Amino acid sequence: QVQLIESGGGTVQPGDSLRLSCVPSGRTISRLTVGWFRQVPGKEREFVATRKWNDASTHYADSVKGRFTISRDNARNTMYLQMANLQPEDTAVYYCAAGSGLITSSLRVAAAYNYWGQGTQVTVSA
């Protein structure tokens, strides 16, 4: 069983940057596709970014493209989400996720991921 532990959330002002980290326990993530999702109360969990393990390709939601960067450090067994130019609409609980066997058409689908973190709150407010 893999447990993912996120950290790095907090409250920032519009235009600020923040980096989220996700560390798995119980398994290395080197052969897993990793992703980030976010959720606000009353809405479905929303895809943010993903990075495949086999070709290192990355995919982003249009709303974060050019501002967020997903990365992974296999040596540290850690994945990151670097967020720049944060805006109030980025406020949400952010979840890291990991999975195996994902095909391209399922990369943006939350249900396709096998493992999830507990979430970390990101609040962007003036």
Side-chain angles (χ1 to χ4, degrees):
Q1 184 68 21
V2 177
Q3 290 185 320
L4 304 178
I5 303 173
E6 301 105 337
S7 62
T11 299
V12 297
Q13 295 185 336
D16 284 352
S17 298
L18 207 58
R19 188 178 78 164
L20 305 182
S21 300
C22 178
V23 179
S25 64
R27 179 174 175 174
T28 177
I29 61 168
S30 62
R31 296 179 71 85
L32 296 176
T33 292
V34 294
W36 290 92
F37 289 75
R38 65 187 182 186
Q39 191 170 23
V40 298
K43 291 191 175 182
E44 292 187 356
R45 196 162 294 189
E46 175 190 31
F47 167 76
V48 175
T50 189
R51 184 183 178 98
K52 294 181 69 176
W53 74 271
N54 55 345
D55 62 8
S57 61
T58 55
H59 305 263
Y60 296 93
D62 289 343
S63 59
V64 307
K65 198 173 294 183
R67 300 188 298 123
F68 290 13
T69 303
I70 185 172
S71 63
R72 61 196 298 163
D73 185 337
N74 288 338
R76 297 179 182 271
N77 202 32
T78 302
M79 55 187 279
Y80 303 98
L81 183 69
Q82 180 69 48
M83 305 183 291
N85 191 23
L86 283 161
Q87 300 300 316
E89 52 266 33
D90 296 317
T91 296
V93 176
Y94 283 72
Y95 298 88
C96 65
S100 58
L102 276 75
I103 58 177
T104 302
S105 61
S106 66
L107 291 175
R108 298 169 184 257
V109 179
Y113 290 77
N114 308 102
Y115 311 110
W116 289 88
Q118 80 287 352
T120 185
Q121 177 70 45
V122 173
T123 302
V124 186
S125 174

